[in-house]
Amino acid sequence: MKYFKHALRIDPNSVNANFGMAKALQQYSEDKEAPIPHFMLVIEKDAENFKAHTQLGILYLDREEFEKSAHHLKKALSINKKFPLALLSMGNLLFETNHPENAIKYHKHALKYNPNELQALIGLGNAFYDTQDPKESIKYYKKAIEIDEGLSDVHYNLGNALYLVEKIDDAIHHYQAAIKLNPKKAESFYNLGNAQCVKNEYNEAIKSYQIALDIDPKNAPALYNLGNALYMVNKYEEAVQSYQRAL
């Protein structure tokens, strides 16, 4: 960052120095607005700078300023329709604004230029899940995990998709993988308990629900399902107590 500050003192209007400063601020500054003026100056001096438009689209997407994000991402793609980061970001924007079918198109387009683009694979998994196509969702989540096994949320989402297609053992495996990576997520334990109940493993499910409740004591669905599991192992008084807490 010192280099870019020095360059900007020499020439405050330098496109390269402003772009470099903006990227450095994106990475290192807690002030999420700080990069914006530098990217805007880049565009003022070079209106066809699709990389600056893309970065502005990403910044505005992170700030949930969706109209501004769409403006800059559309501009970037009008200049370079094959820029993978702009395609990926447009897919992310469409997903965040509840257009998963259109998000799929952009994420698939991004994969044409980089078949191992992790965020596009995850984005496709999420979008297909939202369009109620868990089989396609599973395919892309699995590809993402092949690239990076340490993605707790992807393991969790994959578990959910596998549960929907009744591959319960596989769902359990991925819930357990998600828990190993992030043991503080109550939803992972809750869904693990649900999968264990499907297999009639009620004692194991009770343990999972109890851990979910240790993390989130007011989780009403976990309290209710814990009551069901306790009832199935003839612990009627404890089941009633759990049902009452769920109310």
Side-chain angles (χ1 to χ4, degrees), residues 184-205:
K184 298 297 184 182
K185 184 169 181 171
E187 294 89 344
S188 297
F189 288 100
Y190 170 71
N191 286 1
L192 174 59
N194 292 342
Q196 289 164 332
C197 281
V198 172
K199 290 177 62 65
N200 299 327
E201 297 174 355
Y202 298 112
N203 287 313
E204 292 301 312

Side-chain angles (χ1 to χ4, degrees), residues 61-147:
L61 176 56
D62 288 343
R63 291 159 55 91
E64 298 186 358
E65 296 184 42
F66 297 130
E67 288 187 10
K68 290 181 180 179
S69 178
H71 167 76
H72 287 288
L73 292 174
K74 286 177 181 177
K75 181 64 176 177
L77 289 169
S78 72
I79 300 165
N80 183 352
K81 64 182 181 181
K82 296 182 179 181
F83 186 44
L85 184 57
L87 291 164
L88 171 64
S89 301
M90 181 61 83
N92 291 340
L93 171 64
L94 289 163
F95 182 80
E96 290 297 324
T97 53
N98 300 315
H99 299 287
E101 296 90 349
N102 291 329
I104 287 168
K105 297 175 185 176
Y106 281 93
H107 283 142
K108 281 189 171 181
H109 200 175
L111 284 181
K112 289 181 181 179
Y113 303 105
N114 181 5
N116 292 320
E117 172 52 61
L118 187 59
Q119 293 305 314
L121 292 168
I122 295 170
L124 282 165
N126 293 341
F128 276 116
Y129 189 90
D130 270 24
T131 56
Q132 299 182 359
D133 189 348
K135 288 183 179 179
E136 281 296 296
S137 180
I138 288 166
K139 180 172 74 175
Y140 288 104
Y141 285 142
K142 283 185 174 179
K143 287 182 179 179
I145 288 172
E146 286 175 5
I147 296 169

Side-chain angles (χ1 to χ4, degrees), residues 155-172:
H155 280 288
Y156 171 78
N157 291 342
L158 177 54
N160 291 341
L162 289 161
Y163 184 94
L164 288 177
V165 298
E166 300 181 356
K167 293 187 176 181
I168 305 303
D169 287 332
D170 290 342
I172 287 172

